[in-house]
Amino acid sequence: MRSAYRRVLVVLAASASSLLSVACSVPIRAGAYAQPGHEFQEYTSFSWDEPGERPTGDPRLDDNPLFRLRVHAAIEWELRIRGIALVEEGGHDPELGRRGRALLVHHHTSIQDHVAVFERDPNPGFTPEDVDAPRVVQYPEATFIVGLVDAQTHELVWSAWATLDFDSALADPGAMQAQIDAAVAAMFERFPLPVGRAAPGGMP
């Protein structure tokens, strides 16, 4: 399973890199890919499939005991409001199994220093020196990656990514929660199932 997780991350990272090369400069950049023609409405449950104790490799995140809980909460919310329920590790709900198929959720987060260069706006009030000199901003950019794998076939059926300025989140727990929620919500805007969807068998 560990090797399968690494393969998923390679696919997702390549997709994220492609997006970032063409994305415009906005607070949150996000994108997603769904396997064409896949029957997503069959899914009714999911569980986590993660590597060891330090999933990001960045001490600013891995040494924060609440970081993974916040990411889990945000992803679980987006799936639950689309009729896909969490099955806890070691647990099993036979009703969910009879009603539909299950997903395995992979996620990864990384932070890299990012430098953005903005041209000055030559509006009235700026001196010629202000107009000619671009503004250079450096900040820690977080990249969130989520992959959904069919639990039966181990095939990656949906992937998404989001990037944003994570500077305030590293210093403020409240800002971290808000930015994680925003990043995950931006990814799931592109999910094939609608919010409020009822899963097969009547599960809300």
Side-chain angles (χ1 to χ4, degrees):
M1 186 61 67
R2 186 68 58 83
S3 62
Y5 179 86
R6 285 197 291 266
R7 288 197 298 272
V8 169
L9 288 185
V10 168
V11 172
L12 297 182
S15 299
S17 176
S18 176
L19 172 74
L20 295 180
S21 67
V22 298
C24 59
S25 178
V26 295
I28 296 179
R29 292 165 287 182
Y33 173 80
Q35 185 182 94
H38 195 73
E39 300 294 334
F40 285 89
Q41 66 270 21
E42 295 182 1
Y43 294 110
T44 60
S45 65
F46 79 94
S47 58
W48 305 108
D49 188 13
E50 300 177 294
E53 294 299 319
R54 302 180 68 82
T56 75
D58 190 310
R60 292 173 292 183
L61 303 181
D62 291 331
D63 292 342
N64 183 337
L66 297 179
F67 173 74
R68 187 166 65 172
L69 293 177
R70 291 177 172 128
V71 173
H72 277 199
I75 296 173
E76 181 183 352
W77 169 259
E78 294 294 337
L79 289 171
R80 182 161 60 89
I81 62 177
R82 292 169 172 85
I84 302 176
L86 172 65
V87 175
E88 297 288 352
E89 183 178 358
H92 177 65
D93 185 339
E95 284 299 311
L96 290 178
R98 283 192 289 268
R99 291 172 182 170
R101 301 172 68 177
L103 291 165
L104 299 175
V105 178
H106 303 265
H107 66 87
H108 180 74
T109 306
S110 62
I111 297 181
Q112 294 184 329
D113 289 335
H114 183 80
V115 177
V117 180
F118 301 94
E119 297 296 331
R120 296 287 188 176
D121 185 1
N123 289 324
F126 282 87
T127 66
E129 291 78 12
D130 290 329
V131 173
D132 293 338
R135 182 166 59 96
V136 179
V137 178
Q138 181 172 341
Y139 60 89
E141 182 178 70
T143 299
F144 291 87
I145 298 174
V146 174
L148 303 184
V149 173
D150 186 289
Q152 181 177 359
T153 65
H154 297 285
E155 182 180 15
L156 180 67
V157 297
W158 186 82
S159 61
W161 50 90
T163 66
L164 71 162
D165 180 349
F166 217 53
D167 191 26
S168 61
L170 294 174
D172 180 357
M176 176 177 286
Q177 180 68 74
Q179 293 191 349
I180 290 172
D181 289 348
V184 173
M187 288 187 276
F188 276 86
E189 286 179 359
R190 298 156 176 82
F191 196 68
L193 298 178
V195 172
R197 161 254 188 183
M203 186 186 74

